[in-house]
Amino acid sequence: MNALSSVGSVARVGERVLVALGGNAMTGPDGSASPQAQLNAIEAAMRQVRALIDAGHQVVLTHGNGPQVGNLLLKNQLAAAVVPPVPLDWCGAQTQATIGTLILNALGRPAATVVTRTLVDAGDPAFADPVKPIGRYFTEAEARRFEKLGQSWRRFERGWRRVVASPEPLEILDAPAATALMAAGFTVVAAGGGGVPVVRQRDGSLTGVEAVVDKDLAAAVLARAVGARILVIATDVPQAVVGYGGRDPRPIGQISAGELRVLHAAGHFAGGSMGPKVEAVLRFVAAGGERAVITSLEHIADPGAGTRVER
Ligand code: ADP
Ligand code: MG
């Protein structure tokens, strides 16, 4: 594998950088979400983030929450006869608080976590066709039981999983709070898990919905809203790759938005994993962002690392 490389730093001093942390920053290498595995992963991730902050960048962090929400859903189910189950959006809010707290402890720099809501459209077509799998695999009999309670379930290779809508993030409603905290010198953690999805009712009030917003797409919206010039998507692979998993994988280094869009349209980036990251960097740059990078967590402060797109 040979990647194109170029000189230059991930960001200039003082630039506002949004870093979206993937699952590998919050769970063990095998995806396990035991408290110790989460602590270890976050501590390792925060060493990288600290390097960016100490180099003089203003950092905004966001993060995924899949395994953590999966655990809460399972607890809901197992304890349903004793403790009333809580809605999915409540689970999302809980994970923002918990992961946010661990990040604050591990970062060791002035920081704040903002419980963040993401506005979605109640008429988003995703609600009519829920495809985002959440939680663990179950047997068909269990899936059918939950379907009777109004949930959507689908058969996958390894068994049945609940699926929910993954609507488009329209607006990060609490971005102004994040911006104010940044202006006051705090590193901010916001829109964890894509943000708690809410819809606006006719009377203007906001209510949570049973949905999951993609964390990379939400990161692109948050980045613009807080005025970040750079979007860094930190994951478990060093680059986006053409021919991923095939005989002739070609890692992508510096690339124009136009070229990346062509590769994306040709289906080189898997839906639900690399696809939304590529989509997020394209949207960010199209909306006026200066530079976007997809790379592994260890390389977020490295010059010339990763797949890099410039406006
Ligand atoms: P995260 O938790 O960081 O969001 P994901 O698992 O959602 O991570 O996405 C990263 C994964 O995307 C990689 O581990 C890799 O298996 C997968 N992937 C799919 N298509 C590609 C591709 N074209 N290039 C690189 N990685 C890809
Ligand atoms: Mg992902």
Side-chain angles (χ1 to χ4, degrees), residues 75-99:
K75 278 207 248 184
N76 259 344
Q77 286 174 12
L78 294 175
V82 199
V83 184
V86 299
L88 179 58
D89 51 306
W90 290 29
C91 294
Q94 278 179 255
T95 66
Q96 288 185 347
T98 311
I99 296 168

Side-chain angles (χ1 to χ4, degrees), residues 22-23 132 214-216 235 272-274 276-277:
K132 168 73 184 170
D214 182 85
K215 76 106 175 31
D216 295 310
T235 184
S273 58
M274 190 51 72
K277 298 183 199 312

Side-chain angles (χ1 to χ4, degrees), residues 9 44 46 58 61 63 69 74 87 89 126 131 149 153 159 185 192 195 201-202 228 241 246 294 311:
S9 157
M46 288 312 117
Q58 288 186 53
L61 291 173
H63 58 82
V69 163
L74 186 60
D89 51 306
V131 293
L149 299 172
W153 285 69
Q201 306 293 344
R202 282 180 204 286
V241 173
I294 301 170
R311 174 150 48 95

Side-chain angles (χ1 to χ4, degrees), residues 26 34 40 43 47 60 72 122 133 164 186 223 255 262 279 308:
M26 276 154 304
S34 68
N40 294 347
E43 272 168 20
R47 280 197 286 278
V60 193
L72 290 178
V164 296
F186 292 93
I255 188 169
V262 169
E279 182 67 33
R308 305 176 303 282

